[in-house]
Amino acid sequence: MCGIIGFTGSQNAAPILLDGLSRMEYRGYDSAGIAVLNRGAIEVEKAQGRLTNLLEKTDNGKRPQGFAGIGHTRWATHGAPNDINSHPHVSGDGRFAIVHNGIIENYAAIKEELTAKGHVFVSETDTEVAAHLIEECYTGDFKAAVMKAVSRLEGAYAFGIICSDFPGTVFAVRQAAPLIVGLGFGENYFASDVTALVSYTKNVIYLDDGEFAEVRTDGVTIYDSIGRPVEKPVSKIAWSIEAAEKGGYEHFMLKEIVEQPAAVKEAIAPRIKGGEIVLDDFDLTEEKLRNINKIVITACGSAYHAGCCGRYAIEKLTRIPVEVKLASEFRYEDPIVDEHTLMIIVSQSGETADTKAALEEGKRLGAEILAIVNVVGSSIARLADHVLYEWAGPEIAVATTKGFTTQLVLLYLFALYAAKKLDRVDDFEYARLLGEICSLPKRIQNAIDLNMVSIPRLAEKYHDRGSMFFIGRNTDYAVALEGSLKMKEISYIHAEAYAAGELKHGTIALIEEGTPVVAVCCNEDLLEKTASNILEVKARGAEVLALSFRENRDIIAHADDVMFVPKTETFFSEAVAVIPLQLLAYYVAKANGCDIDKPRNLAKSVTVE
Ligand code: M6R
């Protein structure tokens, strides 16, 4: 949720910290702050609201001066997003400053204990407790104090810490929250996300839970949870800084929508060799697949919707029953999962706390775990038995787009791959369906081209409605779920997705004169059924904005407006149908003057439960 960064070297830390924070602002944007070591003292600057406020306060990083420091961009959990609760937090004696991503679950008990010892707290945060605890544990050894304090903490945290007695050192700690160490020449770094580091170095070390990093100007030492130095592999970041910049687009979201044909191609093409799907990245052998009698897809938000979409292709092609479960509910359901279950964990960030917890629960119950993840080296990728990387490049906008479509195509590829291994598809059908999957980048491009000009006009028409419905059946319903989430999260318009046939069981009571109903009609087998539902809502005054292909004359005749997509094989149609829905949400949000890349109350990576 929050983003943290640390730097030590021989140039001023503040500009580097602020630049890194600007690239991680999507992780949280309630407030931001930095602390810099300046001639044996710690200087802190923090500001409520967006990073621009901190930039102003520090004169774009000209202050405070010093060669080592830490920074933070916040998504508030404990205490209102004001200057006092902003990070960094400082110990009572002013010797330590700390930034934190995560939640310390037992902070209240420790706070009580430290208060009894005379510590005075100024903020409502759990983080300030850690700063005071480190002070309490300190006897002149920075590392020992950090390790002792951390051993008392429960919860999920990544910390960055500086100590005024150790001018060239920044400490980082990881426990169930992402943290990456960057290796430079004569300077070193850490951050929650590689996007903060990629303009400085491509050489990174992914920390594991329980590890500490002592980051110095002349090198980095990683320690395990009991303080023994550990050798860690150095990984190379595979993309350049341009990938994490807007490149002339007004918003990251629009750039990422437009990038989808290329992103989807990158997810598919390297996995097709000699007319076959080759999934080098996992060894789900035929024997293992035959052992599976159920697939459970678990995820949150849009990734959950990707699972809802992918389910149809997997069930249709493999005939293995698929359940799609919300990760936040999963572990409280006493799930029926065992060694004959394949769990597919879907997560763009690979760090979503609920999704990770669901993975751990599935593992505990004996399931085989396949993760579909975008961020290389993320926690979920490392915990899973098998990983399919999305290879979508960095996704910066809080509202996912290319993250979603690349998840979809990997689910499609998996479905066809498994069907072949299980002899559930003959060679002819296999080749035909593979051709359909390979044509998705072109069709997605076509869907973008067909709608780029018309949707801004539709957005002008519909942007001021208080509420919208999204309807569809089967695959179309799954896409409607994603379309309505996109609309809600960036335009703040109440938007509900309903299975079209379900409206008449209650929800149709909400349809009145002028209610917009977005009707997804891309599932060729169900066009007539959805057409009847369109007529039902129209009879009650709804304005229908249909999403279909040009050949679908019937629905075009009934609808008030139409968004077109190219006709696509039903089981893979969601990846194309979602494009106009993303554009509609984008342009409606734009017409409403919303902060599209950083919608209110949200953050990109949800690392709290
Ligand atoms: O990183 P993840 O895919 O695990 O994230 C899951 C959801 O938090 C995410 O999809 C969220 O719903 C997005 N804001 C949707 O645009």
Side-chain angles (χ1 to χ4, degrees), residues 135-286:
E135 174 192 335
E136 189 66 25
C137 297
Y138 185 64
T139 54
D141 183 338
F142 187 9
K143 176 185 154 217
V146 170
M147 290 194 62
K148 190 166 175 203
V150 162
S151 70
R152 299 263 334 261
L153 303 178
E154 289 163 19
Y157 45 80
F159 291 129
I161 310 154
I162 50 175
C163 172
S164 56
D165 296 343
F166 293 81
T169 303
V170 286
F171 245 96
V173 183
R174 178 196 156 116
Q175 180 58 49
L179 202 57
I180 295 129
V181 172
L183 306 174
F185 296 102
E187 54 188 43
N188 293 299
Y189 325 76
F190 66 79
S192 303
D193 194 322
V194 287
T195 49
L197 304 182
V198 74
S199 47
Y200 303 101
T201 180
K202 298 223 162 171
N203 297 322
V204 297
I205 295 173
Y206 294 100
L207 293 190
D208 283 304
D209 285 348
E211 289 180 341
F212 298 76
E214 186 182 45
V215 180
R216 303 174 310 275
T217 306
D218 63 354
V220 170
T221 311
I222 313 290
Y223 301 98
D224 69 9
S225 59
I226 53 169
R228 294 173 305 199
V230 282
E231 283 298 319
K232 301 278 296 182
V234 177
S235 307
K236 274 244 178 278
I237 303 172
W239 41 268
S240 68
I241 189 63
E242 290 74 38
E245 288 178 339
K246 277 192 205 152
Y249 287 91
E250 193 175 348
H251 297 99
F252 278 111
M253 183 175 175
L254 186 60
K255 175 182 177 241
E256 288 159 8
I257 289 174
V258 168
E259 279 174 352
Q260 286 177 108
V264 162
K265 192 170 179 192
E266 188 57 32
I268 298 171
R271 292 175 165 122
I272 314 287
K273 289 174 191 148
E276 294 278 330
I277 303 169
V278 181
L279 301 179
D280 288 332
D281 9 21
F282 75 9
D283 63 343
L284 261 181
T285 56
E286 188 184 325

Side-chain angles (χ1 to χ4, degrees), residues 253 298-305 345-356 372-375 380 390 395 397-401 403-404 407 482 485-486 489-490 599 602-606:
M253 183 175 175
T298 315
C300 296
S302 293
Y304 168 80
H305 297 153
I345 306 285
V346 188
S347 175
Q348 188 283 132
S349 64
E351 298 293 348
T352 302
D354 287 319
T355 310
K356 197 170 139 212
I372 293 181
V373 168
N374 191 34
V375 176
I380 288 174
E390 297 174 47
E395 190 179 62
V398 165
T400 181
T401 51
F404 175 80
Q407 286 163 357
E482 176 59 7
L485 177 61
K486 285 280 93 68
E489 69 178 329
I490 60 166
L602 297 180
K604 181 74 179 161
S605 161
V606 186

Side-chain angles (χ1 to χ4, degrees), residues 1-62:
M1 310 292 289
C2 306
I4 68 170
I5 184 165
F7 168 80
T8 179
S10 53
Q11 53 177 323
N12 267 330
I16 292 168
L17 298 173
L18 291 166
D19 177 55
L21 291 180
S22 74
R23 299 187 189 281
M24 290 194 293
E25 208 186 358
Y26 66 88
R27 298 182 67 90
Y29 31 87
D30 293 336
S31 63
I34 55 173
V36 169
L37 278 163
N38 190 2
R39 292 194 209 106
I42 291 174
E43 275 187 47
V44 177
E45 286 290 356
K46 40 193 186 178
Q48 184 182 339
R50 297 293 160 93
L51 188 66
T52 47
N53 299 347
L54 183 64
L55 288 169
E56 247 174 61
K57 220 170 166 181
T58 59
D59 198 6
N60 281 321
K62 292 203 181 77

Side-chain angles (χ1 to χ4, degrees), residues 221-468:
T221 311
I222 313 290
Y223 301 98
D224 69 9
S225 59
I226 53 169
R228 294 173 305 199
V230 282
E231 283 298 319
K232 301 278 296 182
V234 177
S235 307
K236 274 244 178 278
I237 303 172
W239 41 268
S240 68
I241 189 63
E242 290 74 38
E245 288 178 339
K246 277 192 205 152
Y249 287 91
E250 193 175 348
H251 297 99
F252 278 111
M253 183 175 175
L254 186 60
K255 175 182 177 241
E256 288 159 8
I257 289 174
V258 168
E259 279 174 352
Q260 286 177 108
V264 162
K265 192 170 179 192
E266 188 57 32
I268 298 171
R271 292 175 165 122
I272 314 287
K273 289 174 191 148
E276 294 278 330
I277 303 169
V278 181
L279 301 179
D280 288 332
D281 9 21
F282 75 9
D283 63 343
L284 261 181
T285 56
E286 188 184 325
E287 192 193 340
K288 276 189 184 162
L289 281 169
R290 289 202 187 280
N291 180 42
I292 287 162
N293 59 20
K294 173 163 101 169
I295 294 175
V296 176
I297 304 179
T298 315
C300 296
S302 293
Y304 168 80
H305 297 153
C308 295
C309 294
R311 176 191 138 207
Y312 291 102
I314 298 173
E315 283 194 335
K316 174 75 181 173
L317 294 173
T318 67
R319 305 312 293 158
I320 301 174
V322 179
E323 291 171 11
V324 189
K325 297 204 174 257
L326 287 168
S328 54
E329 293 288 310
F330 180 76
R331 77 199 117 135
Y332 305 115
E333 285 178 354
D334 193 5
I336 304 172
V337 162
D338 59 22
E339 67 278 15
H340 299 293
T341 309
L342 172 68
M343 271 183 73
I344 304 183
I345 306 285
V346 188
S347 175
Q348 188 283 132
S349 64
E351 298 293 348
T352 302
D354 287 319
T355 310
K356 197 170 139 212
L359 182 160
E360 281 159 351
E361 178 65 0
K363 238 184 175 179
R364 190 184 68 77
L365 295 168
E368 189 86 14
I369 311 284
L370 164 62
I372 293 181
V373 168
N374 191 34
V375 176
V376 174
S378 56
S379 304
I380 288 174
R382 284 185 287 159
L383 286 168
D385 300 313
H386 316 274
V387 185
L388 286 177
Y389 279 115
E390 297 174 47
W391 295 333
E395 190 179 62
I396 310 289
V398 165
T400 181
T401 51
K402 63 176 180 171
F404 175 80
T405 40
T406 48
Q407 286 163 357
L408 277 187
V409 296
L410 290 181
L411 288 165
Y412 301 158
L413 274 181
F414 167 77
L416 191 56
Y417 172 87
K420 179 83 188 289
K421 286 253 182 256
L422 296 170
D423 293 326
R424 304 264 156 84
V425 61
D426 64 37
D427 288 350
F428 179 77
E429 188 62 354
Y430 177 81
R432 186 185 76 78
L433 291 172
L434 190 53
E436 290 289 331
I437 293 177
C438 291
S439 73
L440 286 173
K442 226 201 256 152
R443 287 171 204 259
I444 290 171
Q445 184 62 57
N446 201 214
I448 293 172
D449 297 343
L450 283 170
N451 290 285
M452 212 37 141
V453 175
S454 53
I455 286 190
R457 286 203 291 268
L458 291 173
E460 279 306 321
K461 175 173 173 186
Y462 289 102
H463 77 98
D464 55 355
R465 313 295 169 92
S467 179
M468 278 190 190

